Amino acid sequence: MEFLIPYLITVNALGLLLMLADKQKARKKRWRIPEATLMGVAAIGGSAGVFLGMYLFRHKTRHPKFTVGVPLLLILHCVLLFLILRQS
């Protein structure tokens, strides 16, 4: 259980940084970070970071995969975190 909070901080920071990096690459018309990578990071616990990155950087906000999928993952992660912490 001791690893959970540091893990979540790390994976959410990664999600936020990946969204920033992809937005910068998009502006410069350079090689992009695959959407599967961004969604993968969100799925493994980085949904808050990806969600924050979407709206801070105005990135991927027109893609239903992100505008629906990431908030659903965030809700799921919050419920799971609540259940895990409640058990402890």
Side-chain angles (χ1 to χ4, degrees), residues 17 33 51 73 78 81:
L17 291 173
I33 297 168
F51 184 79
L73 283 170
C78 288
L81 182 61

Side-chain angles (χ1 to χ4, degrees), residues 1 7 9-10 21 26-27 36 39 41-42 46 52-53 56-57 72-73 76 80 84 88:
M1 201 61 59
Y7 171 78
I9 290 169
T10 302
R27 285 183 178 154
M39 286 301 290
V41 169
L52 185 60
L56 274 179
F57 310 126
L72 287 176
L73 283 170
L76 175 65
L80 289 173
I84 290 168
S88 302

Side-chain angles (χ1 to χ4, degrees), residues 33-64:
I33 297 168
E35 286 186 352
T37 301
L38 298 172
M39 286 301 290
V41 169
I44 64 169
S47 56
V50 171
F51 184 79
L52 185 60
M54 284 173 53
Y55 292 98
L56 274 179
F57 310 126
R58 295 188 183 115
H59 191 51
K60 301 285 185 189
T61 56
R62 294 185 180 182
H63 299 263

